[in-house]
């Protein structure tokens, strides 16, 4: 039972990410890079679309950290 519940929740999460990617006009690989903090060059258009879909400000997505 535990394993099947885990798989169901993972399937649900993947569905949410797929819907978000579609609404923000992103490829899943592109979204995964943002999620995993692997983006090399930020794209302001992508960030704007993500903010629109999430109804948030860019400061909700980004955090500046000094080296």
């Amino acid at each position: 039972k535990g394993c099947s519940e885990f798989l169901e929740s993972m399937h649900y999460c993947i569905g949410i990410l797929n819907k978000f990617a579609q609404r923000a006009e992103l490829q899943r690989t592109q979204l995964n890079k943002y999620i995993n903090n692997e983006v090399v060059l930020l794209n302001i258009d992508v960030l704007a679309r993500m903010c629109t879909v999430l109804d948030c400000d860019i400061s909700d997505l980004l955090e500046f950290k000094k080296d």
Side-chain angles (χ1 to χ4, degrees):
K1 183 177 179 178
C3 186
S4 64
E5 287 176 1
F6 174 76
L7 291 175
E8 283 180 31
S9 65
M10 289 301 294
H11 181 70
Y12 177 76
C13 290
I14 290 169
I16 289 173
L17 290 175
N18 286 339
K19 285 182 182 180
F20 176 77
Q22 183 180 20
R23 289 180 182 162
E25 300 174 20
L26 300 170
Q27 294 181 9
R28 265 308 299 275
T29 54
Q30 190 177 18
L31 177 59
N32 288 343
K33 287 182 181 180
Y34 278 88
I35 291 171
N36 296 319
N37 200 26
E38 297 173 346
V39 175
V40 177
L41 184 63
L42 290 177
N43 182 323
I44 195 70
D45 292 327
V46 168
L47 293 173
R49 292 193 309 265
M50 290 170 75
C51 286
T52 299
V53 172
L54 295 170
D55 191 26
C56 68
D57 294 322
I58 198 166
S59 62
D60 296 321
L61 300 179
L62 301 177
E63 178 184 359
F64 178 74
K65 292 184 178 181
K66 291 185 179 183
D67 288 336

